[in-house]
């Protein structure tokens, strides 16, 4: 038996009665769809709440309704993906009912799991006073474990660092797969490395247990283990919580779904989500969990909330057209119904290239602002950050205020600055700041060591009349480099010399390409879990470089575009355009939305087209993007791309081809005439118009 009395706060103790609740007219406060879900009888329920349909309102009123039926607040468990979401809902419940939010158990899966393990963690080997590791601490611990098992592991430059290895371990645990299987997808041809990563994962887990530590993944893994292996604990929670409500259920992974299933084995679960907005499978979300919910919980009632309060009827028709093309076997049927007044049709705009795309978008935004819109009413969405590089260049050139949801502008990102620093140094060997930036990326090389090595090289250049890139590679200087960094140093200097040789005669695009595929490529892949996305960012710099006649011109432009010098500073409270990836825009809404880069290979991305990614998820992502718009929606795609200095034709996104032509207007970016409906025959505009490419 477990003694719960020694806890400072027994949140599971006998609940005090709730009295004098204000009466709520649920029928008047909700639409018919919401009302049916809110007042659902006991039993498992799946609520499919479409975009902009009032999901949070439905959940809030569901809690209020349960209270009105005599359910104790202590008997309600609310699971969300952010503590902010839980707090907002429970605060609204308190405003509605007068019942204090502190009487509910609500929060993220991880926060609730941590509380459960304080009570029952010892049954799975955790001490009650275990320490939760944050991301930085867990990185450090894994680094320590790896060095203890294999002191020379990080001396091999091809081997990944601790952070990407931890990412592999984390993903494997969240989807319930062996670590070696997940690692095989990233390092398919290196069997020895796969075995080492697996051994690191086991040792990392053992070390945490020995030291009384738990990382974020442990909070879910151990919670599920407690429920599966500790009959007393499972029975306690099954009897304690008569109602379990789960928000954003389409985003649960197999661990989270297993926890919910186990807790709700004997009573009601209400899962609220939207399969059409499942866009996070790349970080472990499992769409099968929402699709198979009725099978795992016999007697499930499915409620559909399809009335949309956000978007115009015209935008919803287009969004419904996206849903029409989904795989029926892996989706629920859904038709968003409008409640807002009619507005203009969405507009499809082919452009010559990304620069004309940027010019059109900003010209249209200026027209909207002239007509009374505010900058903050406008969002520009894209599949990946590098798709917006040209747009950011043009925004900075025009001095228009903008913010990015990620918080970092394209040229401020660490990997972009790392690469540019190498080119800056070659162009100007007196740029000590640039040298320090990339030299200190090497193991055991700090600012003092880097400064000493650069000083020796500078003296050598004066004595022998050689270039600094040559001096840095001389054997007696390399001998002074810390042992752990020697291999990297040799490769880095080889890259710098190659860049230096090209700088005098080659195009800026060729210089940038050489830098990308030199030493930094190995460093990037070893350092970052998401290195493929970062490589795409760097590859886009080649196109940027191709717009400039010489290296110094390109670097000057980069300086002007960096936040450290030329970017317009946004004042607190100032109205700003919003730039965001589609993933980061989920949950947001804007009167006017522009979606850029709608070309095959960009959106959907190349991996999905080639079968290495999930094309259905890319389609769901497009649906999420379109449903951020309230009044106007512009869809843009460039028809030409400059890849390593060579023009390449782009094909409009297959998601655009799937849409009926009656659901959008076609606009010629070359002309100022009014948009016209139809006319895009999947090949071009027709005679005399701007032609797209197949």
């Amino acid at each position: 038996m477990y003694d719960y009395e020694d806890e400072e706060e027994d949140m599971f103790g006998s609940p005090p009665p709730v009295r004098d609740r204000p009466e709520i007219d649920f029928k008047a406060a909700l639409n018919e769809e919401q009302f049916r879900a809110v007042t659902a009888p006991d039993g498992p329920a799946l609520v499919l709440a479409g975009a902009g349909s009032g999901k949070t309102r439905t959940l809030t009123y569901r809690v209020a309704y349960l209270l009105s039926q005599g359910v104790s607040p202590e008997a309600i468990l609310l699971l969300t993906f952010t503590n902010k979401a839980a707090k907002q809902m429970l605060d609204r419940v308190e405003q509605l009912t007068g019942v204090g939010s502190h009487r509910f158990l609500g929060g993220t899966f991880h926060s609730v799991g941590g509380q459960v393990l304080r009570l029952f963690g010892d049954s799975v080997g955790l001490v009650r006073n275990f320490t939760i590791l944050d991301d930085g601490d867990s990185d450090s611990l894994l680094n320590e474990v790896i060095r203890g098992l294999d002191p020379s592991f990080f001396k091999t430059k091809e081997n990944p660092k601790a952070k990407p290895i931890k990412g592999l371990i984390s993903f494997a645990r969240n989807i319930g797969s062996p670590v070696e299987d997940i690692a095989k997808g990233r390092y398919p041809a290196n069997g020895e490395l796969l075995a080492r990563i697996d051994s690191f994962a086991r040792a990392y887990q053992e070390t945490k247990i020995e030291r009384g530590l738990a990382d974020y993944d442990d909070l879910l893994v151990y919670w599920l283990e407690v429920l599966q292996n500790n009959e007393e604990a499972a029975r306690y929670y099954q009897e304690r919580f008569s109602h379990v409500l789960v928000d954003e259920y389409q985003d649960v992974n197999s661990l989270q779904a297993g926890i919910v299933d186990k807790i709700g084995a004997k009573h009601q679960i209400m899962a609220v989500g939207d399969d059409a907005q499942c866009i996070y499978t790349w970080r472990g979300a499992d769409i099968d969990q929402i699709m198979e919910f009725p099978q795992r919980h016999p007697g499930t009632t499915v409620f559909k909330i399809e009335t949309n309060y956000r978007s115009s009827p015209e935008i919803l028709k287009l969004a419904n057209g996206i849903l029409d093309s989904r795989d029926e076997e892996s989706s629920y049927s859904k038709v968003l119904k409008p409640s807002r007044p009619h507005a203009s049709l969405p507009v499809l705009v082919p452009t010559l290239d990304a620069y004309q795309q940027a010019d059109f978008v900003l010209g249209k935004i200026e027209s909207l602002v002239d007509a009374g819109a505010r900058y903050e009413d406008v969002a520009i969405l894209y599949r990946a950050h590098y798709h917006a590089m040209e747009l950011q260049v043009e925004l900075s050139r025009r001095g228009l205020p903008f913010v990015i949801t990620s918080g970092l502008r394209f040229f401020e990102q660490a990997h972009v600055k790392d690469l540019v620093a190498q080119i800056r140094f070659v162009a100007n060997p007196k740029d000590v700041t640039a040298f320090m930036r990339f030299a200190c990326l090497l193991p055991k090389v700090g600012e003092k060591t880097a400064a000493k090595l650069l000083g020796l090289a500078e003296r050598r250049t004066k004595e022998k009349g050689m270039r600094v890139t040559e001096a840095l590679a001389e054997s007696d200087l390399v001998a002074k480099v810390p042992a752990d960094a020697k291999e990297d140093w040799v490769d880095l200097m080889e890259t710098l010399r190659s860049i230096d040789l090209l700088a005098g005669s080659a195009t800026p695009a060729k210089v940038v390409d050489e830098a990308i595929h030199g030493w930094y490529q190995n460093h990037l892949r070893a350092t970052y879990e998401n290195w493929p996305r970062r490589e795409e960012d760097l590859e886009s710099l080649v196109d940027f470089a191709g717009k400039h006649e010489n290296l110094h011109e390109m670097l000057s432009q980069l300086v002007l575009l960096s936040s450290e010098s030329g970017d317009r500073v946004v004042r607190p409270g100032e109205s700003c355009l919003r730039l965001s990836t589609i993933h980061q825009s989920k949950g947001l809404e804007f009167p006017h939305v522009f979606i850029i880069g709608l070309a095959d290979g960009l959106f959907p991305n190349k991996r999905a087209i080639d079968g290495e990614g999930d094309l259905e998820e890319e389609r769901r992502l497009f649906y999420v993007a379109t449903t951020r718009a309230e009044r106007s929606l512009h869809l843009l795609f460039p028809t030409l791309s400059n890849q390593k200095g060579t023009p390449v034709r782009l094909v409009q996104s297959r998601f655009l081809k799937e849409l009926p032509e009656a659901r959008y207007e076609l606009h010629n970016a070359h002309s100022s005439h009014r948009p016209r409906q139809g006319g895009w025959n999947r090949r071009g505009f027709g005679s005399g118009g701007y032609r797209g490419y197949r």
Side-chain angles (χ1 to χ4, degrees):
M1 297 294 292
Y2 289 84
D3 180 11
Y4 312 118
E5 300 301 322
D6 63 348
E7 298 294 316
E8 292 183 5
E9 181 183 359
D10 181 12
M11 64 183 62
F12 308 114
S14 299
V18 178
R19 301 185 179 90
D20 302 323
R21 299 189 187 95
E23 291 189 7
I24 301 170
D25 188 343
F26 292 95
K27 192 75 172 177
L30 304 165
N31 67 33
E32 188 60 35
E33 297 167 333
Q34 295 168 336
F35 180 77
R36 286 197 296 269
V38 164
T39 60
D42 287 351
L46 177 62
V47 181
L48 300 172
S53 65
K55 171 180 65 65
T56 301
R57 184 176 185 84
T58 301
L59 269 171
T60 300
Y61 275 83
R62 174 62 175 176
V63 176
Y65 177 77
L66 293 174
L67 296 177
S68 74
Q69 299 302 295
V71 177
S72 168
E74 288 81 4
I76 300 173
L77 174 62
L78 175 62
L79 293 170
T80 63
F81 279 85
T82 66
N83 282 312
K84 180 181 178 183
K87 184 177 185 306
Q88 286 178 340
M89 273 186 266
L90 293 177
D91 284 348
R92 292 183 188 181
V93 170
E94 185 170 356
Q95 293 171 9
L96 275 173
T97 66
V99 179
S101 60
H102 65 281
R103 297 189 56 186
F104 302 86
L105 181 58
T108 66
F109 280 88
H110 293 90
S111 65
V112 175
Q115 296 176 48
V116 171
L117 294 175
R118 295 296 180 193
L119 293 176
F120 293 101
D122 52 349
S123 69
V124 292
L126 265 183
V127 296
R128 285 200 176 189
N129 64 338
F130 68 88
T131 299
I132 300 175
L133 298 170
D134 62 21
D135 279 332
D137 291 335
S138 57
D139 289 346
S140 297
L141 179 62
L142 180 58
N143 187 74
E144 176 193 330
V145 167
I146 293 172
R147 290 184 182 279
L149 287 176
D150 187 350
S152 63
F153 182 80
F154 293 127
K155 294 180 180 179
T156 302
K157 67 176 187 290
E158 290 83 9
N159 287 341
K161 293 183 172 52
K163 193 172 186 65
I165 292 176
K166 196 193 78 173
L168 293 173
I169 296 171
S170 176
F171 187 77
R173 299 188 78 199
N174 276 279
I175 68 172
S177 293
V179 171
E180 195 167 351
D181 288 353
I182 301 302
K184 192 180 296 181
R186 184 59 56 87
Y187 311 105
N190 195 334
E192 183 180 350
L193 177 60
L194 300 180
R196 298 302 290 152
I197 290 174
D198 191 61
S199 68
F200 297 155
R202 292 195 301 271
Y204 173 62
Q205 206 59 33
E206 292 167 359
T207 303
K208 285 185 292 178
I209 289 290
E210 291 171 0
R211 299 183 185 182
L213 305 172
D215 61 22
Y216 292 140
D217 299 322
D218 291 325
L219 301 179
L220 300 183
V221 173
Y222 289 144
W223 185 6
L224 183 57
E225 284 186 18
V226 165
L227 295 173
Q228 289 174 333
N229 303 323
N230 187 325
E231 185 177 341
E232 180 192 354
R235 185 172 61 253
Y236 175 75
Y237 289 110
Q238 291 166 357
E239 294 175 356
R240 176 72 260 176
F241 298 113
S242 62
H243 290 81
V244 179
L245 286 78
V246 189
D247 189 22
E248 303 287 5
Y249 191 79
Q250 77 279 349
D251 293 332
V252 298
N253 58 35
S254 58
L255 279 176
Q256 293 159 332
I259 289 166
V260 173
D261 289 349
K262 196 68 179 178
I263 293 177
K266 296 181 180 180
H267 54 71
Q268 187 199 18
I269 303 171
M270 178 173 278
V272 183
D274 182 5
D275 60 292
Q277 298 189 73
C278 179
I279 59 174
Y280 297 113
T281 61
W282 51 274
R283 66 185 189 193
D286 183 359
I287 194 171
D288 289 343
Q289 301 304 328
I290 191 171
M291 296 307 303
E292 298 171 1
F293 184 91
Q295 287 71 49
R296 298 199 312 276
H297 300 277
T300 292
T301 303
V302 178
F303 299 91
K304 294 183 181 181
I305 304 178
E306 299 173 308
T307 301
N308 177 285
Y309 293 95
R310 176 184 300 157
S311 305
S312 71
E314 289 74 17
I315 292 172
L316 293 185
K317 282 183 180 180
L318 186 138
N320 286 330
I322 300 170
L323 298 185
D324 290 341
S325 300
R326 291 191 299 167
D327 180 4
E328 294 182 0
E329 294 184 358
S330 60
S331 61
Y332 292 100
S333 63
K334 187 185 303 85
V335 179
L336 297 178
K337 296 177 284 191
S339 64
R340 294 176 65 95
H342 286 278
S344 59
L345 283 172
V347 180
L348 175 62
V349 188
T351 65
L352 178 62
D353 56 16
Y355 284 93
Q356 189 186 61
Q357 179 179 251
D359 185 68
F360 177 87
V361 168
L362 297 187
K364 185 63 181 177
I365 291 172
E366 289 173 355
S367 297
L368 289 170
V369 172
D370 289 342
R374 302 166 299 174
Y375 284 127
E376 64 199 60
D377 295 335
V378 181
I380 305 167
L381 308 181
Y382 35 85
R383 176 64 180 83
H385 280 295
Y386 76 91
H387 296 171
M389 183 188 67
E390 294 86 357
L391 186 68
Q392 292 185 38
V393 169
E394 189 62 15
L395 281 166
S396 297
R397 189 184 70 79
R398 298 190 189 190
L400 296 177
F402 70 99
V403 293
I404 300 176
T405 302
S406 68
L408 287 176
R409 303 185 178 194
F410 181 86
F411 295 103
E412 294 174 6
Q413 298 177 102
H415 54 291
V416 175
K417 297 181 76 168
D418 290 344
L419 187 86
V420 171
Q422 297 169 58
I423 300 171
R424 282 172 49 190
F425 178 71
V426 168
N428 177 16
K430 295 187 181 297
D431 190 343
V432 177
T433 303
F435 179 81
M436 290 295 184
R437 180 171 187 94
F438 61 77
C440 291
L441 296 174
L442 274 60
K444 306 292 186 177
V445 177
E447 290 186 1
K448 288 185 178 178
T449 299
K452 179 181 177 182
L453 292 169
L454 181 60
L456 289 171
E458 288 175 335
R459 287 196 293 273
R460 192 75 46 88
T461 60
K462 293 178 180 178
E463 294 168 359
K464 297 185 177 183
M466 60 175 51
R467 300 183 67 81
V468 70
T469 53
E470 297 172 334
L472 286 165
E474 290 217 311
S475 57
D476 56 338
L477 190 146
V478 174
K480 301 181 184 299
V481 176
D484 289 353
K486 273 187 169 60
E487 189 176 4
D488 274 309
W489 184 273
V490 171
D491 287 347
L492 172 58
M493 295 309 125
E494 184 177 339
T495 297
L496 293 180
R497 284 193 306 232
S498 296
I499 297 172
D500 201 4
L501 286 171
L502 288 172
S505 58
T507 64
K510 288 184 177 179
V511 173
V512 173
D513 187 61
E514 183 70 21
I516 291 171
H517 296 97
W519 164 81
Y520 194 68
Q521 185 175 61
N522 283 331
H523 173 80
L524 193 78
R525 295 181 175 186
T527 304
Y528 296 105
E529 182 187 356
N530 61 345
W531 61 262
R533 180 188 67 76
R534 295 176 186 262
E535 279 194 354
E536 287 180 334
D537 288 344
L538 298 181
E539 291 288 351
S540 71
L541 283 176
V542 179
D543 189 16
F544 174 82
K547 305 294 182 182
H548 300 86
E549 294 184 0
N550 58 68
L551 201 60
H552 289 284
E553 179 191 319
M554 185 198 78
L555 291 172
S556 296
Q557 186 65 21
L558 281 172
V559 170
L560 293 173
L561 293 169
S562 80
S563 63
E564 298 175 353
S565 51
D567 270 347
R568 184 187 187 288
V569 177
V570 176
R571 298 182 298 272
E574 183 179 7
S575 180
C576 298
L577 298 170
R578 171 71 63 179
L579 273 62
S580 177
T581 64
I582 300 166
H583 285 100
Q584 292 172 320
S585 75
K586 190 171 178 292
L588 304 178
E589 56 188 38
F590 303 89
H592 310 286
V593 169
F594 296 80
I595 307 173
I596 64 174
L598 282 164
D600 268 4
L602 302 178
F603 192 6
N605 62 24
K606 188 175 183 301
R607 291 186 68 255
I609 293 173
D610 294 343
E612 299 174 5
D614 189 341
L615 191 62
E616 285 299 309
E617 181 160 350
E618 292 286 296
R619 182 178 285 107
R620 295 193 296 268
L621 193 62
F622 184 38
Y623 166 80
V624 168
T626 60
T627 54
R628 299 312 94 195
E630 297 173 359
R631 297 202 301 269
S632 76
L633 175 65
H634 284 75
L635 311 168
L636 297 101
F637 69 94
T639 55
L640 287 175
S641 174
N642 193 4
Q643 298 181 8
K644 299 184 179 181
T646 303
V648 176
R649 292 181 175 183
L650 297 176
V651 180
Q652 64 168 325
S653 171
R654 60 196 61 200
F655 301 147
L656 295 175
K657 293 180 181 180
E658 293 170 352
L659 293 171
E661 292 184 358
R663 298 195 182 180
Y664 59 80
E665 294 179 337
L666 185 66
H667 188 89
N668 187 342
H670 284 287
S671 69
S672 60
H673 62 72
R674 290 181 63 226
R676 64 188 186 278
Q677 187 170 327
W680 179 257
N681 60 9
R682 307 296 195 252
R683 292 179 300 204
F685 284 103
S687 64
Y690 180 71
R691 298 192 63 83
Y693 298 99
R694 293 186 67 84

